[in-house]
Amino acid sequence: MTVRKNQANLTASEKKAFVDAVLGMKRKGVYDEFVSTHRTRFSIDMNSGVYVAHFGPSFLPWHRKFLIDFELELQKFDPSVSIPYWDWTTDNTVASSLWAPDFLGGTGRPLDDQVMDGPFAYSTGNWKISVQVDSREFLARNLGYRVSTLPTKSEVDSALAIPVYDSAPFRDGSAGFRATLEGSSGYMSMHNRVHTWVWGQMESSVSPNDPVFWLHHAFVDKLWADWQALHPTSAKYLPAGGTPDVIDLNETMPPFPATTPADMLDHTPFYTYA
Protein backbone atom coordinates (compact mmCIF):
# COMPACT_ATOMS: atom_id res chain seq x y z
CA MET A 1 0.00 0.00 0.00
CA THR A 2 1.32 3.42 -0.97
CA VAL A 3 1.66 5.80 1.98
CA ARG A 4 1.85 9.53 1.33
CA LYS A 5 3.85 11.34 3.99
CA ASN A 6 4.23 14.92 5.14
CA GLN A 7 7.26 16.27 3.29
CA ALA A 8 8.57 17.68 6.59
CA ASN A 9 8.99 14.10 7.86
CA LEU A 10 10.83 12.68 4.85
CA THR A 11 14.31 11.30 5.32
CA ALA A 12 17.13 12.46 3.08
CA SER A 13 16.93 9.19 1.14
CA GLU A 14 13.16 9.55 0.68
CA LYS A 15 13.60 13.07 -0.67
CA LYS A 16 16.28 11.88 -3.08
CA ALA A 17 14.13 8.98 -4.26
CA PHE A 18 11.23 11.31 -5.04
CA VAL A 19 13.45 13.82 -6.83
CA ASP A 20 15.18 11.08 -8.84
CA ALA A 21 11.85 9.60 -9.95
CA VAL A 22 10.56 13.03 -11.01
CA LEU A 23 13.74 13.67 -12.98
CA GLY A 24 13.42 10.23 -14.54
CA MET A 25 9.91 11.06 -15.74
CA LYS A 26 11.21 14.34 -17.15
CA ARG A 27 14.01 12.64 -19.09
CA LYS A 28 11.57 10.12 -20.52
CA GLY A 29 9.16 12.86 -21.64
CA VAL A 30 6.34 11.54 -19.47
CA TYR A 31 6.42 14.47 -17.07
CA ASP A 32 5.68 16.98 -19.81
CA GLU A 33 2.69 14.88 -20.89
CA PHE A 34 1.14 15.56 -17.48
CA VAL A 35 1.84 19.27 -17.84
CA SER A 36 0.19 19.28 -21.27
CA THR A 37 -2.85 17.45 -19.93
CA HIS A 38 -3.32 20.05 -17.22
CA ARG A 39 -2.78 22.98 -19.58
CA THR A 40 -5.32 21.64 -22.07
CA ARG A 41 -7.93 20.88 -19.44
CA PHE A 42 -7.48 24.25 -17.74
CA SER A 43 -7.89 26.05 -21.07
CA ILE A 44 -11.07 24.15 -21.90
CA ASP A 45 -12.48 24.76 -18.42
CA MET A 46 -11.66 28.46 -18.61
CA ASN A 47 -12.94 29.08 -22.12
CA SER A 48 -15.84 26.69 -22.65
CA GLY A 49 -17.79 27.17 -19.44
CA VAL A 50 -17.96 23.39 -19.05
CA TYR A 51 -16.16 22.77 -15.77
CA VAL A 52 -14.28 19.52 -15.26
CA ALA A 53 -10.90 19.92 -13.54
CA HIS A 54 -11.44 23.45 -12.21
CA PHE A 55 -14.17 25.80 -11.03
CA GLY A 56 -16.71 23.03 -10.41
CA PRO A 57 -17.53 20.01 -8.26
CA SER A 58 -15.23 17.53 -10.01
CA PHE A 59 -12.16 19.62 -9.09
CA LEU A 60 -11.34 17.20 -6.28
CA PRO A 61 -11.96 13.82 -7.96
CA TRP A 62 -10.30 14.97 -11.20
CA HIS A 63 -7.12 15.94 -9.41
CA ARG A 64 -7.24 12.76 -7.29
CA LYS A 65 -7.16 10.73 -10.50
CA PHE A 66 -4.45 12.99 -11.94
CA LEU A 67 -2.24 12.42 -8.89
CA ILE A 68 -2.85 8.67 -8.86
CA ASP A 69 -1.73 8.41 -12.49
CA PHE A 70 1.35 10.54 -11.76
CA GLU A 71 2.22 8.45 -8.71
CA LEU A 72 2.01 5.25 -10.74
CA GLU A 73 4.49 6.71 -13.24
CA LEU A 74 6.86 7.67 -10.40
CA GLN A 75 6.71 4.10 -9.13
CA LYS A 76 7.90 2.77 -12.48
CA PHE A 77 11.24 4.37 -11.55
CA ASP A 78 11.12 3.47 -7.87
CA PRO A 79 8.27 1.40 -6.37
CA SER A 80 8.95 2.89 -2.93
CA VAL A 81 8.14 6.46 -4.00
CA SER A 82 4.90 8.22 -3.20
CA ILE A 83 3.81 11.83 -3.54
CA PRO A 84 4.57 13.69 -0.30
CA TYR A 85 2.22 16.41 0.82
CA TRP A 86 2.98 19.99 1.79
CA ASP A 87 1.03 21.19 4.80
CA TRP A 88 1.10 24.88 3.95
CA THR A 89 -0.67 25.79 7.20
CA THR A 90 2.51 24.82 9.08
CA ASP A 91 5.36 25.01 6.57
CA ASN A 92 4.36 28.51 5.57
CA THR A 93 7.58 30.48 5.06
CA VAL A 94 10.32 30.67 2.46
CA ALA A 95 12.58 28.93 5.01
CA SER A 96 10.41 25.81 5.20
CA SER A 97 12.09 22.49 4.55
CA LEU A 98 10.59 21.80 1.13
CA TRP A 99 12.44 24.82 -0.33
CA ALA A 100 15.87 23.46 0.65
CA PRO A 101 18.52 22.82 -2.02
CA ASP A 102 18.33 19.06 -1.39
CA PHE A 103 14.63 18.95 -2.26
CA LEU A 104 12.68 21.46 -4.38
CA GLY A 105 15.02 24.44 -4.29
CA GLY A 106 13.97 27.89 -3.22
CA THR A 107 12.55 31.13 -4.50
CA GLY A 108 13.70 32.75 -7.72
CA ARG A 109 16.34 35.43 -8.17
CA PRO A 110 15.40 39.10 -8.58
CA LEU A 111 14.32 40.48 -11.95
CA ASP A 112 13.33 37.21 -13.69
CA ASP A 113 12.31 34.87 -10.80
CA GLN A 114 14.58 32.09 -12.04
CA VAL A 115 15.15 29.32 -9.46
CA MET A 116 18.91 29.00 -9.09
CA ASP A 117 19.33 26.17 -6.56
CA GLY A 118 18.15 22.61 -6.11
CA PRO A 119 17.65 19.77 -8.60
CA PHE A 120 15.08 21.66 -10.69
CA ALA A 121 17.21 24.71 -11.39
CA TYR A 122 17.65 25.36 -15.12
CA SER A 123 21.42 25.50 -14.65
CA THR A 124 21.50 21.78 -13.81
CA GLY A 125 20.47 20.97 -17.36
CA ASN A 126 17.77 18.62 -16.06
CA TRP A 127 14.74 20.90 -15.94
CA LYS A 128 13.90 22.80 -19.09
CA ILE A 129 10.34 24.13 -19.27
CA SER A 130 9.05 22.77 -22.56
CA VAL A 131 5.27 23.14 -22.11
CA GLN A 132 5.01 26.91 -21.82
CA VAL A 133 2.61 29.80 -21.58
CA ASP A 134 5.44 32.31 -22.04
CA SER A 135 9.04 32.27 -23.29
CA ARG A 136 10.68 31.16 -20.03
CA GLU A 137 12.54 27.87 -20.30
CA PHE A 138 13.51 27.98 -16.61
CA LEU A 139 11.52 27.21 -13.49
CA ALA A 140 10.32 30.46 -11.96
CA ARG A 141 9.12 31.26 -8.45
CA ASN A 142 8.70 34.35 -6.31
CA LEU A 143 7.56 33.02 -2.97
CA GLY A 144 5.27 35.39 -1.10
CA TYR A 145 5.47 38.11 -3.75
CA ARG A 146 1.86 38.35 -4.93
CA VAL A 147 0.28 37.41 -1.61
CA SER A 148 2.32 37.46 1.58
CA THR A 149 0.64 34.69 3.56
CA LEU A 150 -0.58 31.15 3.04
CA PRO A 151 -3.91 29.75 4.26
CA THR A 152 -4.09 29.14 7.99
CA LYS A 153 -5.13 26.17 10.09
CA SER A 154 -8.21 28.05 11.25
CA GLU A 155 -9.27 28.55 7.63
CA VAL A 156 -8.77 24.85 6.98
CA ASP A 157 -10.72 23.91 10.10
CA SER A 158 -13.59 26.16 9.02
CA ALA A 159 -13.68 24.47 5.63
CA LEU A 160 -13.57 21.00 7.17
CA ALA A 161 -16.56 21.89 9.35
CA ILE A 162 -18.81 22.54 6.33
CA PRO A 163 -21.15 19.55 6.09
CA VAL A 164 -22.12 19.86 2.41
CA TYR A 165 -19.76 18.94 -0.45
CA ASP A 166 -21.09 21.48 -2.96
CA SER A 167 -24.23 23.38 -3.90
CA ALA A 168 -25.98 25.04 -6.81
CA PRO A 169 -24.99 26.64 -9.09
CA PHE A 170 -21.94 24.30 -8.80
CA ARG A 171 -19.55 26.96 -10.10
CA ASP A 172 -18.57 30.51 -9.09
CA GLY A 173 -20.79 31.52 -6.24
CA SER A 174 -21.31 28.00 -4.93
CA ALA A 175 -21.14 27.30 -1.23
CA GLY A 176 -19.87 24.09 0.32
CA PHE A 177 -16.65 22.36 1.14
CA ARG A 178 -15.36 21.98 -2.43
CA ALA A 179 -15.80 25.62 -3.41
CA THR A 180 -14.26 26.79 -0.15
CA LEU A 181 -11.25 24.50 -0.46
CA GLU A 182 -10.66 25.21 -4.15
CA GLY A 183 -11.02 28.93 -3.58
CA SER A 184 -13.51 29.47 -6.37
CA SER A 185 -15.85 31.23 -3.96
CA GLY A 186 -13.03 33.66 -3.21
CA TYR A 187 -10.17 33.53 -5.66
CA MET A 188 -7.40 34.48 -3.25
CA SER A 189 -8.27 31.82 -0.70
CA MET A 190 -7.21 28.26 0.10
CA HIS A 191 -5.99 26.19 -2.89
CA ASN A 192 -5.91 29.14 -5.28
CA ARG A 193 -4.00 31.27 -2.79
CA VAL A 194 -1.19 28.72 -2.57
CA HIS A 195 -0.69 28.77 -6.34
CA THR A 196 -0.51 32.56 -6.19
CA TRP A 197 1.90 32.56 -3.21
CA VAL A 198 4.41 30.40 -5.11
CA TRP A 199 4.02 32.46 -8.33
CA GLY A 200 5.97 31.62 -11.50
CA GLN A 201 4.58 28.70 -13.48
CA MET A 202 2.44 27.73 -10.49
CA GLU A 203 0.23 30.75 -11.20
CA SER A 204 -0.70 29.50 -14.68
CA SER A 205 -2.27 26.63 -16.60
CA VAL A 206 1.14 24.91 -16.73
CA SER A 207 1.46 24.81 -12.94
CA PRO A 208 2.66 21.17 -12.88
CA ASN A 209 5.95 22.43 -14.39
CA ASP A 210 6.80 23.22 -10.76
CA PRO A 211 7.14 19.93 -8.83
CA VAL A 212 5.62 21.62 -5.79
CA PHE A 213 2.30 21.30 -7.65
CA TRP A 214 2.14 17.62 -6.68
CA LEU A 215 2.87 18.28 -3.00
CA HIS A 216 0.30 21.06 -2.90
CA HIS A 217 -2.40 18.97 -4.50
CA ALA A 218 -1.56 15.97 -2.33
CA PHE A 219 -2.38 18.14 0.69
CA VAL A 220 -5.59 19.37 -0.94
CA ASP A 221 -6.49 15.73 -1.56
CA LYS A 222 -5.65 14.85 2.05
CA LEU A 223 -7.98 17.58 3.24
CA TRP A 224 -10.76 16.05 1.13
CA ALA A 225 -10.02 12.67 2.71
CA ASP A 226 -10.07 14.28 6.17
CA TRP A 227 -13.40 15.95 5.38
CA GLN A 228 -14.88 12.63 4.24
CA ALA A 229 -13.80 11.00 7.51
CA LEU A 230 -15.31 13.85 9.54
CA HIS A 231 -18.69 13.60 7.77
CA PRO A 232 -19.20 9.88 7.11
CA THR A 233 -22.97 10.11 6.69
CA SER A 234 -23.26 13.40 4.82
CA ALA A 235 -20.03 13.45 2.79
CA LYS A 236 -21.70 12.79 -0.54
CA TYR A 237 -20.51 14.10 -3.88
CA LEU A 238 -22.87 16.60 -5.44
CA PRO A 239 -24.43 17.00 -7.94
CA ALA A 240 -25.80 13.48 -8.32
CA GLY A 241 -27.21 13.95 -11.81
CA GLY A 242 -28.90 16.10 -14.41
CA THR A 243 -26.69 19.15 -14.02
CA PRO A 244 -25.53 20.94 -17.20
CA ASP A 245 -21.92 22.00 -17.77
CA VAL A 246 -20.44 20.19 -14.75
CA ILE A 247 -19.63 16.58 -13.99
CA ASP A 248 -22.28 14.62 -12.12
CA LEU A 249 -21.51 11.71 -9.82
CA ASN A 250 -21.49 9.02 -12.51
CA GLU A 251 -20.29 10.99 -15.52
CA THR A 252 -16.81 10.45 -16.90
CA MET A 253 -14.20 13.15 -16.37
CA PRO A 254 -12.28 14.04 -19.55
CA PRO A 255 -9.63 13.17 -20.54
CA PHE A 256 -9.94 10.04 -18.39
CA PRO A 257 -12.07 7.71 -20.53
CA ALA A 258 -13.46 5.48 -17.80
CA THR A 259 -13.25 7.42 -14.52
CA THR A 260 -16.16 9.11 -12.77
CA PRO A 261 -16.28 11.03 -9.50
CA ALA A 262 -17.89 7.95 -7.95
CA ASP A 263 -14.76 5.98 -8.78
CA MET A 264 -12.62 8.44 -6.85
CA LEU A 265 -14.60 8.79 -3.65
CA ASP A 266 -12.57 6.14 -1.80
CA HIS A 267 -8.82 6.73 -1.97
CA THR A 268 -7.83 3.80 0.26
CA PRO A 269 -7.48 1.20 -2.55
CA PHE A 270 -4.73 3.41 -3.95
CA TYR A 271 -2.94 5.04 -0.97
CA THR A 272 -3.25 6.24 2.60
CA TYR A 273 -1.91 9.32 4.39
CA ALA A 274 0.52 9.35 7.29
Side-chain angles (χ1 to χ4, degrees):
M1 168 63 69
T2 296
V3 179
R4 295 181 180 174
K5 301 178 182 178
N6 188 324
Q7 64 81 28
N9 299 327
L10 296 180
T11 65
S13 61
E14 286 172 330
K15 289 180 181 179
K16 184 177 186 304
F18 175 76
V19 167
D20 287 349
V22 170
L23 292 176
M25 285 181 63
K26 182 72 167 178
R27 285 193 301 271
K28 196 175 178 181
V30 178
Y31 193 98
D32 286 346
E33 292 175 7
F34 280 86
V35 181
S36 293
T37 295
H38 190 273
R39 179 180 66 177
T40 299
R41 189 65 254 168
F42 188 94
S43 178
I44 295 171
D45 290 343
M46 179 69 75
N47 295 308
S48 71
V50 179
Y51 296 151
V52 178
H54 307 89
F55 321 120
S58 53
F59 164 74
L60 289 170
W62 191 96
H63 281 86
R64 180 168 282 179
K65 170 64 172 170
F66 195 49
L67 265 65
I68 288 170
D69 288 354
F70 183 79
E71 197 163 54
L72 291 172
E73 290 295 334
L74 289 174
Q75 291 168 351
K76 291 179 182 179
F77 290 89
D78 186 337
S80 73
V81 169
S82 60
I83 302 173
Y85 63 89
W86 168 29
D87 181 351
W88 24 256
T89 69
T90 300
D91 295 309
N92 54 11
T93 74
V94 298
S96 296
S97 57
L98 76 164
W99 307 119
D102 68 340
F103 197 25
L104 301 187
T107 195
R109 67 186 181 185
L111 300 180
D112 66 358
D113 298 339
Q114 181 175 170
V115 172
M116 300 301 294
D117 67 338
F120 306 107
Y122 183 73
S123 59
T124 65
N126 297 322
W127 204 257
K128 177 182 176 181
I129 303 300
S130 301
V131 183
Q132 303 169 326
V133 290
D134 54 36
S135 62
R136 293 178 295 186
E137 294 186 337
F138 54 82
L139 178 61
R141 295 182 189 129
N142 196 336
L143 306 181
Y145 157 70
R146 184 67 174 82
V147 291
S148 60
T149 59
L150 288 161
T152 64
K153 187 177 185 303
S154 64
E155 289 176 295
V156 166
D157 289 344
S158 294
L160 291 174
I162 298 171
V164 177
Y165 178 80
D166 211 337
S167 65
F170 302 109
R171 53 185 62 240
D172 291 348
S174 294
F177 171 73
R178 186 280 309 170
T180 302
L181 179 58
E182 183 180 359
S184 61
S185 59
Y187 180 72
M188 299 299 283
S189 63
M190 303 296 281
H191 153 267
N192 287 342
R193 186 179 186 88
V194 178
H195 278 272
T196 302
W197 186 87
V198 176
W199 204 243
Q201 282 88 9
M202 270 285 279
E203 180 58 11
S204 75
S205 63
V206 296
S207 50
N209 271 312
D210 192 330
V212 79
F213 171 93
W214 308 103
L215 284 71
H216 169 36
H217 273 274
F219 187 55
V220 170
D221 183 79
K222 180 183 183 297
L223 293 178
W224 183 25
D226 291 345
W227 178 82
Q228 290 174 303
L230 285 170
H231 305 277
T233 58
S234 62
K236 294 179 173 60
Y237 179 92
L238 293 171
T243 312
D245 298 334
V246 299
I247 302 297
D248 294 323
L249 177 64
N250 292 302
E251 289 185 316
T252 56
M253 301 183 292
F256 311 121
T259 303
T260 68
D263 297 325
M264 291 290 103
L265 297 184
D266 183 6
H267 69 283
T268 58
F270 306 101
Y271 55 86
T272 59
Y273 283 103

